[in-house]
Amino acid sequence: MVDEARARKMADRIKEIVAKKLDRGIKDPRLGFVTITDVRMTGDLQHASIFYTVYGTEGERADSAAALKSATGMLRSEVGRNITARVTPSLEFILDALPETAASIERLLQEARERDNETQTLAANATYAGDEDPYVKPRTDEDDDEEDDATR
């Protein structure tokens, strides 16, 4: 049976422990400016997926991924010492695509704004292709009198 509240609390605790250890405990020169964005636990609390972002170039991201992979055992030991669970969960580091996704969405929103502005400009300068009011109107007595004059 999955206890969602316990899994969420453990994920928050693991996030805090790993972030603190990355900040103060790992001396790997390959490790760049890493931010832990989220931790998700499996229902049985035996596996933690740790999402992170790296500020920098693609090379710095690859170096940081290698540093995190080599430090996984040490980080798991640290997590095991600081949580109250029967089994220490295995850790998996996953590069979070959130910044790239946000940038992509921002680009799409900007493109939509530009197209909306173009459409408003075109609509403001547009003219009717035919009459302004193309709908047929009911005949009035004046129209009948004009037709009679025209047929005579």
Side-chain angles (χ1 to χ4, degrees):
M1 189 165 166
V2 177
D3 185 5
E4 295 291 331
R6 179 174 164 88
R8 194 174 31 239
K9 285 179 188 176
M10 187 175 284
D12 288 342
R13 182 70 182 136
I14 290 171
K15 180 179 179 181
E16 183 179 312
I17 293 165
V18 170
K20 191 177 292 183
K21 191 66 175 175
L22 288 175
D23 187 35
R24 297 191 187 135
I26 296 182
K27 304 294 185 218
D28 195 333
R30 298 176 295 175
L31 191 63
F33 188 69
V34 175
T35 303
I36 304 297
T37 56
D38 193 19
V39 176
R40 295 198 184 134
M41 299 291 299
T42 57
D44 59 1
L45 304 178
Q46 294 199 10
H47 183 75
S49 297
I50 303 172
F51 294 89
Y52 69 96
T53 60
V54 179
Y55 182 74
T57 64
E58 197 62 40
E60 291 170 332
R61 288 181 189 157
D63 289 344
S64 293
L68 287 172
K69 186 173 178 104
S70 67
T72 300
M74 189 265 302
L75 290 169
R76 185 172 184 227
S77 299
E78 186 69 21
V79 167
R81 280 193 292 272
N82 290 298
I83 62 170
T84 55
R86 186 174 55 86
V87 176
T88 301
S90 60
L91 304 179
E92 175 187 16
F93 288 93
I94 302 169
L95 182 63
D96 197 353
L98 186 66
E100 291 84 13
T101 304
S104 172
I105 290 172
E106 188 60 39
R107 260 193 321 274
L108 291 172
L109 287 173
Q110 182 60 33
E111 183 180 333
R113 281 188 216 104
E114 290 171 2
R115 287 185 181 182
D116 284 347
N117 290 338
E118 289 174 13
T119 303
Q120 287 176 351
T121 303
L122 289 173
N125 299 330
T127 58
Y128 294 103
D131 295 332
E132 281 189 31
D133 191 6
Y135 299 104
V136 176
K137 301 212 177 350
R139 298 181 91 174
T140 62
D141 290 338
E142 293 173 9
D143 293 336
D144 289 338
D145 291 342
E146 289 176 10
E147 273 186 24
D148 290 341
D149 291 339
T151 56
R152 289 188 200 165

